[in-house]
Amino acid sequence: MKRIALFPGSFDPFTKGHEDIVLRGLKLFDEIIIAIGYNSQKQNRYFEIELMEEKIKETFITRPEVSVLVYSELTAQLAAKYNAGFILRGLRNTTDFEYENSISQVNRDLNDALETVFLITSPELAAVNSSIIREVHRYDGDVSKYLPYTI
Ligand code: ADP
C-alpha cells in the first residue's frame, strides 16, 4: 500500500520552510498532497489562494509525487477521501508544539487511521514565517529569498 501524506496549511504564503518539510517528507512517503485550507481563525488571506496553488504547483513541477489542492472541510475527512494515512506538519518551536499537539489528537479522534508525523525545522529556515513575510511584502520589502518561486 502506498504511503500517502497530507501536508495541510494556510500557506499564506508557501515558504522555503514549507518546501523543506515537503522535500524531507518525500524520504518517508510515496506521495504528498499539499492541501491549502481555509483556516477559520485566519479568514482573510493576503495572497490569493488560487495564486498560491499555482505557485506551489510550479515549485514541484519536476516532482510528480507531489500534488496540490485547495480544501474547506475537516482535514481528517480530506485525508480519508484521499486514502492518506498520515498528516505531515513542521515544528519550529514550543508554540508550534502546543498547537500541533492538540490538533493532532483531535484529528486522530476524528479518524483513528490517521497518524500525524512531525519534522523539526531545518535550523537555517526556523525563522521563516508566513506572517512576517506578509508584513515585509506589504511594505514592498524583498521577500524573494524566503520563497521557492517568484511572486
Ligand atoms: P497553519 O495555518 O495550518 O498553521 P501554516 O501555513 O502556517 O499553516 O504552516 C503549515 C505547517 O508548516 C505547520 O505545521 C507549520 O508549523 C509548518 N511550518 C511553517 N513554517 C515552517 C518553517 N519555517 N520550517 C518548518 N515548518 C514550518
Side-chain angles (χ1 to χ4, degrees):
M1 212 171 84
K2 273 194 172 171
R3 297 170 81 84
I4 303 173
L6 207 62
F7 182 36
S10 331
F11 306 124
D12 188 20
F14 187 89
T15 69
K16 283 191 179 172
H18 297 129
E19 180 195 31
D20 177 63
I21 297 295
V22 173
L23 295 175
R24 289 162 56 206
L26 285 173
K27 295 180 211 156
L28 303 172
F29 304 110
D30 301 309
E31 274 179 39
I32 295 179
I33 303 167
I34 301 173
I36 315 171
Y38 288 101
N39 183 328
S40 50
Q41 282 155 33
K42 299 181 189 169
Q43 290 284 357
N44 300 309
R45 293 185 65 90
Y46 178 79
F47 291 101
E48 291 277 345
I49 209 157
E50 293 79 15
L51 172 73
M52 209 33 64
E53 184 183 16
E54 190 186 307
K55 292 292 171 185
I56 304 172
K57 282 185 177 160
E58 183 185 307
T59 303
F60 295 102
I61 191 115
T62 61
R63 309 300 297 247
E65 60 279 53
V66 178
S67 56
V68 187
L69 55 79
V70 170
Y71 76 109
S72 56
E73 63 194 281
L74 274 176
T75 306
Q77 282 167 1
L78 185 75
K81 194 153 101 189
Y82 285 88
N83 281 321
F86 305 90
I87 289 183
L88 175 64
R89 296 283 286 179
L91 282 183
R92 286 166 294 185
N93 47 43
T94 52
T95 313
D96 276 354
F97 174 79
E98 296 291 343
Y99 177 65
E100 299 294 339
N101 188 29
S102 39
I103 49 175
S104 80
Q105 289 179 12
V106 171
N107 278 332
R108 197 143 60 92
D109 269 348
L110 295 169
N111 171 351
D112 63 11
L114 198 55
E115 291 291 351
T116 306
V117 173
F118 299 100
L119 294 181
I120 299 288
T121 185
S122 296
E124 69 279 15
L125 295 169
V128 178
N129 175 315
S130 295
S131 61
I132 296 173
I133 293 174
R134 289 196 294 275
E135 281 305 289
V136 175
H137 190 267
R138 196 189 303 274
Y139 297 104
D140 291 328
D142 179 16
V143 293
S144 59
K145 70 172 171 190
Y146 306 117
L147 306 178
Y149 46 80
T150 53
I151 209 152

